[in-house]
Amino acid sequence: MKERIVITGIGLTCPLGNSVNEFRQNLLAGKSGITHQEIRHMGKVAMGRCNFEETLYQSKKMRKRGTRAGAIAIYCAHEALKDADLKMDTLDTSRIGVYLGVTEHGNVETENEIHELYNLHNKDVSLWSHHHNPRTVANNPAGEVTLNLKITGPHYTIGAACAAGNLGPIQGAQMLALGEIDVALAGGVSESTGTFGIFAAFASQGALGHHDDPSMATRPLDKNRNGIVVSEGGAIFVMERLSDALKRGATIYAEIAGYHCNSDAADFVLPLTERQVECMSKAMKHADMTPADIDIVNMHATGTQMGDIQECEAVGGLFGASPNTKINCTKGFIGHAMGAAGALELAGNLGSFEDGLVHSCHGIQELDPKCALPTLVLDTPVQASVKTILNNSFGMLGINSALIVKKYQTL
Amino acid sequence: MTQVQVRDAVLAIIADIAMDQDVTGLNDELALREQLDLDSMDFLDIVMELKKRHKIDVPQEDYTKLATLKSCVDYLTPKFKQ
């Protein structure tokens, strides 16, 4: 990339913690963030819920007015700015952009309103909430961040199914490179555990992960995996041009090395190996790297039968001849955080640059022979000198994304 | 309901909407917006809660009658009696 873009702050909440350090330590310790919870119409399901303080950075009134995704985004944005040691009163707020990936937004509020309409209000639509529209507009989580932090630069969400967590940071990098903004708050968020419809749809599709032990409900790459566990969460990165970051003496987590996004143009839900290979290949070309240059591939691996096999074919085909490329997946620990997944999983791996460890997978009791990649980090972290990470995130309607970051080094 | 009871009912709604603020020392004659951090969405919340809790409709042209606690009580007391 011509303009060097770096990550200088991370704010996150996920089922395994409310800061990047807490998340990292729990990943390395092999903990699970999945629990059984009751949800409307579905009863007990395995899911990943966050446990952050919703009103740490906003009033109770504004929390009630907004959405869970907005609350997650506000928490992550404040934490990211604090982590980056950036204070709002020192920034030109018109030069801050907020770009958040979302898989979906609005289902939670719509389901709640319809539930009340039928069960409490006898279908009297005059009692339909006037908050419905501002809560369900697609830009809601990013907009809530700007309202809360008084940011007057651009904000929008990027609807990219489960590739969205990569697309937020990619958008941030692009806007910084174009000079449209000076600081990006970019990442992904999800409130999907609040909507029964997503669970019910995965169940109807035969793709809802389940197990008597919730920590085993989603087991990407395990032979007996039975599907996805839906999670909520968010991760927002502070991103800056390298020159700006150096000028203020910022701590640099990583540099954006390259990325690519493409479309399968093939099926509503089924992934396509060929296009995934193309996506990763073009991301590496963008980064001026070859497979041997990639130290970690963090797979999308959601725990579905076909999805995991097809991605393993893609990753194995590209990195099979690269013995130093370690391969891991994160969803066995925290479930599938939908629009937040890509950003959270990248955040969970960035610690490798400093601690020299690659976190493992979680829940693999019997590795699926079709997923037996030779450099897979199965069940315990391994030591490695990590300087590059390729993060895969794919989504429905055939959207693929690969984001490559590298350890910051002066040239 | 008496005027005192109507005032209590309105105040209960405002307390639930203002949430973070203390509503016990409000001056009945002063505009609510001068004493509390309330915006247009909050007033729509008040209207909605009057409808949900007490089945009272406040038409849009009457929204200004909710400006102070006293004007609320004056305007709403006859409606509570209907």
Side-chain angles (χ1 to χ4, degrees):
Chain A
M1 290 179 59
K2 287 175 189 168
E3 184 75 62
R4 298 177 71 181
I5 309 299
V6 293
I7 293 172
T8 57
I10 305 171
L12 67 78
T13 180
C14 75
L16 272 183
N18 300 319
S19 71
V20 67
N21 288 335
E22 187 183 3
F23 181 30
R24 177 75 182 164
Q25 291 314 309
N26 284 331
L27 285 173
L28 293 175
K31 292 183 181 174
S32 167
I34 308 301
T35 57
H36 278 142
Q37 305 284 335
E38 294 279 334
I39 60 167
R40 184 187 296 150
H41 306 315
M42 294 286 293
K44 189 175 77 175
V45 292
M47 67 168 73
R49 290 299 305 272
C50 298
N51 186 28
F52 68 102
E53 196 178 333
E54 283 190 315
T55 52
L56 185 60
Y57 300 115
Q58 65 172 336
S59 68
K60 289 178 191 165
K61 184 174 89 170
M62 296 313 285
R63 169 61 196 96
K64 190 178 171 191
R65 181 178 294 185
T67 64
R68 176 72 169 172
I72 289 169
I74 288 168
Y75 175 85
C76 292
H78 276 268
E79 290 283 307
L81 287 165
K82 197 159 68 175
D83 189 45
D85 197 24
L86 278 176
K87 295 186 175 51
M88 287 302 293
D89 56 9
T90 66
L91 299 172
D92 177 351
T93 58
S94 71
R95 298 284 299 168
I96 305 172
V98 183
Y99 311 106
L100 301 182
V102 291
T103 287
E104 51 81 31
H105 183 78
N107 282 317
V108 174
E109 304 305 329
T110 303
E111 283 182 11
N112 287 343
E113 284 293 323
I114 289 174
H115 180 80
E116 289 188 8
L117 182 71
Y118 277 77
N119 294 283
L120 298 176
H121 302 147
N122 196 28
K123 293 190 272 186
D124 178 358
V125 291
S126 73
L127 294 173
W128 188 269
S129 174
H130 48 278
H131 294 297
H132 177 80
N133 289 349
R135 284 175 182 156
T136 59
V137 287
N139 62 318
N140 168 278
E144 284 201 38
V145 170
T146 61
L147 285 166
N148 178 273
L149 281 162
K150 306 297 177 202
I151 291 169
T152 58
H155 84 262
Y156 43 89
T157 53
I158 297 152
C162 300
N166 266 353
L167 270 294
I170 290 172
Q171 182 75 16
Q174 290 172 332
M175 291 298 113
L176 285 161
L178 285 170
E180 297 284 326
I181 52 166
D182 295 331
V183 174
L185 289 169
V189 294
S190 171
E191 62 177 14
S192 295
T193 51
T195 157
F196 80 89
I198 288 186
F199 291 88
F202 279 131
S204 298
Q205 197 186 331
L208 186 67
H210 54 89
H211 195 282
D212 289 342
D213 174 1
S215 72
M216 298 300 286
T218 187
R219 288 162 286 164
L221 314 192
D222 185 86
K223 190 179 175 189
N224 298 308
R225 64 190 178 279
N226 57 27
I228 291 167
V229 159
V230 180
S231 297
E232 64 171 2
I236 293 181
F237 302 108
V238 169
M239 301 171 73
E240 304 171 73
R241 286 179 289 273
L242 176 63
S243 53
D244 292 337
L246 290 176
K247 213 179 299 173
R248 69 180 190 87
T251 300
I252 296 172
Y253 280 100
E255 178 177 351
I256 305 298
Y259 50 80
H260 192 71
C261 175
N262 67 3
S263 304
D264 293 341
D267 192 274
F268 269 61
V269 294
L270 295 177
L272 189 64
T273 301
E274 176 190 355
R275 219 52 72 206
Q276 293 175 350
V277 168
E278 183 181 296
C279 187
M280 288 183 273
S281 300
K282 289 192 172 180
M284 285 188 280
K285 188 178 178 192
H286 187 202
D288 197 21
M289 292 179 184
T290 65
D293 296 317
I294 302 296
D295 296 322
I296 296 177
V297 173
N298 181 255
M299 292 178 63
H300 182 62
T302 62
T304 63
Q305 275 298 326
M306 281 312 295
D308 287 5
I309 291 171
Q310 287 188 287
E311 188 181 2
C312 284
E313 285 173 2
V315 171
L318 273 176
F319 297 94
S322 174
N324 294 325
T325 305
K326 305 286 187 258
I327 296 163
N328 67 3
C329 32
T330 311
K331 292 183 179 71
F333 295 94
I334 61 169
H336 189 343
M338 305 278 126
L344 273 173
E345 293 168 17
L346 177 62
N349 275 287
L350 284 179
S352 294
F353 291 154
E354 294 304 317
D355 60 29
L357 294 166
V358 183
H359 84 63
S360 65
C361 304
H362 184 274
I364 300 177
Q365 291 177 319
E366 185 181 354
L367 180 63
D368 185 341
K370 292 175 180 165
C371 298
L373 300 167
T375 56
L376 194 63
V377 184
L378 265 180
D379 51 12
T380 50
V382 298
Q383 287 189 319
S385 172
V386 178
K387 293 188 175 63
T388 58
I389 300 166
L390 184 152
N391 190 47
N392 275 342
S393 283
F394 310 134
M396 288 186 179
L397 283 299
I399 181 165
N400 308 304
S401 70
L403 173 60
I404 302 173
V405 298
K406 59 186 178 185
K407 186 174 183 176
Y408 168 66
Q409 289 173 315
T410 51
L411 291 179
Chain B
M1 284 173 93
T2 66
Q3 287 204 331
V4 171
Q5 288 169 324
V6 171
R7 185 185 184 281
D8 288 344
V10 172
L11 202 57
I13 289 173
I14 293 170
D16 287 345
I17 290 165
M19 291 187 90
D20 308 273
Q21 295 175 278
D22 181 8
V23 301
T24 52
L26 289 178
N27 183 327
D28 288 22
E29 307 277 346
L30 282 179
L32 289 164
R33 287 182 86 152
E34 286 177 25
Q35 304 176 77
L36 297 169
D37 182 20
L38 297 176
D39 58 22
S40 59
M41 294 293 271
D42 293 318
F43 278 89
L44 286 173
D45 280 340
I46 294 172
V47 171
M48 182 62 83
E49 289 305 311
L50 284 166
K51 185 164 190 165
K52 280 184 181 174
R53 297 184 195 186
H54 304 290
K55 298 191 172 16
I56 289 174
D57 271 316
V58 180
Q60 198 168 352
E61 59 269 24
D62 290 347
Y63 285 179
T64 53
K65 292 174 179 168
L66 304 179
T68 70
L69 255 183
K70 182 177 183 307
S71 67
C72 284
V73 172
D74 291 344
Y75 172 71
L76 293 170
T77 301
K79 288 180 175 285
F80 269 94
K81 285 177 179 165
Q82 285 169 8

